[in-house]
Amino acid sequence: MPETARLQMGDKAVDLPVVVGTEDERALDISTLRAQTGYITLDDGYGNTGACQSAITFIDGEQGILRYRGIPIEQLAEHSNFIEAAYLLIWGELPTQRQLNDFSDLLTKHQALHEAIRHHFDLFPSNSPPMAVLSAVLNALSCFNPEFLRIDDENSFQEAAARLMAKVRTIAAYSYRHDRGYPTIHPHPDKKYTANFLHMMFSQPYKDYEPDPEQVRALDLLLLLHADHEQNCSTATVRMVGSSGANLFASVAAGVCALWGPLHGGANVAVVDMLEEIRRTKTTVKDFVQQVKDKRNGIRLMGFGHRVYKNFDPRSRIIKKACEAVLAKLQRKDPLLELAEELEAVALEDSYFVDRKLYPNVDFYSGTILRAIGIPHSMFTVMFAIGRMPGWIAQWYEARKAASPRLHRPRQVYIGPAQRSYTPLDKRG
Ligand code: SDX
């Protein structure tokens, strides 16, 4: 007998089907609630609302668990790499060597940009926000790849996915080079994904940039850790836009805009701004924490807290260890890392944070790694977008392939004025 939940409203009772997930998560299926009762539900910020059933990523916020297609993030961080994890997220299984070679070849084949796209960068003023440039040029890919405005089969999806994965990195590097007035550096035919990005970012026409292998590994790990995260704000946006039938390029361009916000992907920039401000003003950690706790200041401890994790974000633990490893290998110290570690230690002892289950999230330490690799501060959130691209692609396609894909269109509770008549202009106050 399928599980149901009884909803009693006055003398009316409604039995709602209960959906049970792989890990025994339970959800009330309210898809017929309004038809049966005239009621809708209300859930500001969707903290209690499942938008879909998905087989891609699983998070247990209380246990601090994150799995891509069932594989724990700790195992992927130790044994896998970004491109292999991207393949796993998009196509559901770890690739065979042949599949990995074919995917890697596709990424190499599509990593260059159409010459006309390069001129798009000339139209942006210097100091343009890199996320604005990224979103605009990703959307422009719709113009240069009209054959993918409609994706009807697996082959065209694979081609479109490979183009996006390959080009997002090139677009990011070109926007950085253009902003600095540097000549763009073409992708290197022999360099793999992450090393090639650093090549396009930092090589010069007269000298190739040779990053420390530890830096490449740290960046690749960071991209892997950002690859997907259930129905976060930007992924939910990609699904929302895709639900109208909009093409994949337009959908991920919208995802970039959602990720930009400081409460979401923009937090990795906000964390470094916060740490640098603490140092600049010579504020003690204890005083800063007091400022955060006094709500009148409107200050948040950026990089702390999460809508789902009410325990450690497993990614932040892995990133913190990688920070320490890459700095040790480069024989460098970063005062911001030491400050972040001091902030974490004080906050985790403070009832304000403990009572609200506020722990470091993925953004708290990621900026330190990016600084160690030499990625400029302005590009931090762009790096998050490059990492999240496979997740957006996978989630968009899962929604598109659903048995009965529906246009996303939430309802509302109206609290505006009751009906009233029009007042002619000469009769208004
Ligand atoms: C990402 O969803 C995802 O999966 C996102 C992400 C992904 O991979 O896609 O994990 C990536 O976006 C990580 C989050 C990055 N953002 C930040 O680090 C910004 C700082 N954190 C927050 O603003 C906040 O924690 C959110 C936005 C992340 C979550 O906020 P919620 O779930 O809406 O919680 P809330 O704002 O209702 O806060 C609950 C309480 C409040 O206090 P009270 O009203 O109970 O007294 O906790 C307080 C908040 O004031 N609080 C914080 C805080 N975060 C929450 N207080 C100080 N500092 C903070 N960072």
Side-chain angles (χ1 to χ4, degrees):
M1 176 74 172
E3 190 178 337
T4 60
R6 171 150 297 193
L7 189 58
Q8 189 72 39
M9 294 187 294
D11 56 359
K12 194 170 173 57
V14 175
D15 289 330
L16 295 171
V18 172
V19 175
V20 184
T22 307
E23 299 298 329
D24 264 346
E25 328 95 277
R26 276 164 161 72
L28 299 180
D29 178 346
I30 57 169
S31 50
T32 59
L33 179 69
R34 189 169 185 273
Q36 294 188 71
T37 68
Y39 281 61
I40 65 167
T41 59
L42 193 58
D43 182 20
D44 180 29
Y46 306 118
N48 303 279
T49 298
C52 60
Q53 297 183 68
S54 177
I56 299 172
T57 294
F58 173 70
I59 299 172
D60 180 323
E62 283 65 36
Q63 307 293 323
I65 289 172
L66 169 58
R67 300 184 196 132
Y68 292 167
R69 298 286 189 178
I71 302 175
I73 194 69
E74 295 80 3
Q75 292 183 28
L76 290 165
E78 189 178 345
H79 303 297
S80 188
N81 61 63
F82 176 55
I83 294 307
E84 184 182 73
Y87 189 100
L88 169 69
L89 286 167
I90 296 172
W91 284 288
E93 297 296 338
L94 287 167
T96 62
Q97 188 61 59
R98 170 72 189 273
Q99 289 167 330
L100 196 54
N101 294 345
D102 290 351
F103 187 45
S104 187
D105 291 347
L106 264 183
L107 295 177
T108 301
K109 178 181 162 194
H110 293 304
Q111 59 189 348
L113 292 182
H114 189 294
E115 273 306 295
I117 286 193
R118 283 153 48 90
H119 299 304
H120 276 62
F121 297 100
D122 299 336
L123 306 177
F124 295 107
S126 57
N127 293 326
S128 293
M131 289 294 272
V133 176
L134 181 63
S135 179
V137 181
L138 278 172
N139 209 6
L141 291 179
S142 320
C143 311
F144 291 84
N145 298 274
E147 67 277 27
F148 297 118
L149 295 185
R150 273 185 61 82
I151 289 177
D152 295 318
D153 59 55
E154 185 60 30
N155 276 344
S156 54
F157 169 69
Q158 185 183 55
E159 281 287 323
R163 274 169 171 72
L164 266 177
M165 286 288 300
K167 296 179 192 301
V168 65
R169 191 195 27 170
T170 312
I171 294 168
Y174 279 22
S175 77
Y176 169 70
R177 301 286 295 192
H178 178 268
D179 191 60
R180 288 292 191 291
Y182 299 156
T184 48
I185 298 292
H186 288 298
H188 193 293
D190 303 329
K191 289 184 183 292
K192 291 296 175 203
Y193 195 86
T194 305
N196 217 339
F197 169 71
L198 293 173
H199 161 70
M200 290 188 277
M201 282 283 287
F202 301 124
S203 287
Q204 294 299 349
Y206 51 86
K207 186 172 184 303
D208 267 2
Y209 173 73
E210 292 302 341
D212 183 299
E214 189 68 28
Q215 289 176 308
V216 179
R217 171 78 192 121
L219 181 56
D220 195 83
L221 172 63
L222 210 52
L223 295 176
L224 183 154
L225 292 172
H226 284 77
D228 194 48
H229 214 242
E230 289 192 357
Q231 303 310 312
N232 59 85
C233 179
S234 53
T235 299
T237 301
V238 170
R239 277 187 174 245
M240 168 73 82
V241 172
S243 77
S244 75
N247 69 75
L248 180 56
F249 302 111
S251 301
V252 299
V256 169
C257 296
L259 187 70
W260 192 354
L263 294 186
H264 188 16
N268 58 16
V269 172
V271 167
V272 173
D273 289 344
M274 172 187 75
L275 296 172
E276 285 180 335
E277 181 65 9
I278 291 170
R279 288 190 72 224
R280 189 185 65 78
T281 55
K282 297 184 175 41
T283 307
T284 65
V285 165
K286 279 197 181 326
D287 285 351
F288 180 75
V289 168
Q290 286 313 316
Q291 288 173 22
V292 169
K293 290 164 63 178
D294 180 348
K295 297 262 194 234
R296 290 168 303 180
N297 296 319
I299 297 174
R300 289 204 159 188
L301 179 50
M302 300 310 277
F304 254 66
H306 199 278
R307 175 62 56 80
V308 176
Y309 288 121
K310 299 309 170 190
N311 193 322
F312 267 85
D313 179 334
R315 301 167 297 177
S316 78
R317 285 195 156 133
I318 297 168
I319 291 172
K320 183 178 175 184
K321 264 180 22 195
C323 277
E324 290 153 359
V326 71
L327 288 173
K329 177 73 172 34
L330 300 175
Q331 294 176 332
R332 269 195 233 157
K333 283 192 174 308
D334 184 346
L336 294 193
L337 175 60
E338 290 157 18
L339 177 55
E341 288 172 331
E342 192 187 342
L343 259 175
E344 176 186 353
V346 170
L348 295 185
E349 295 288 314
D350 187 303
S351 60
Y352 173 92
F353 298 89
V354 175
D355 294 352
R356 292 171 177 79
K357 298 185 176 166
L358 302 177
Y359 292 90
N361 59 48
V362 68
D363 294 302
F364 192 62
Y365 288 108
S366 57
T368 307
I369 280 203
L370 293 170
R371 283 158 54 90
I373 295 161
I375 304 288
H377 178 254
S378 61
M379 294 284 286
F380 283 10
T381 312
V382 170
M383 299 317 297
F384 195 143
I386 295 173
R388 187 53 50 90
M389 187 57 75
W392 288 337
I393 292 168
Q395 298 264 356
W396 181 91
Y397 198 48
E398 182 181 67
R400 191 54 63 93
K401 283 194 306 178
S404 50
R406 297 197 73 201
L407 174 71
H408 288 196
R409 200 270 185 221
R411 285 187 177 267
Q412 62 164 34
V413 173
Y414 175 69
I415 53 171
Q419 182 171 336
R420 55 184 175 152
S421 300
Y422 178 81
T423 308
L425 184 56
D426 58 1
K427 295 276 184 302
R428 293 171 204 164

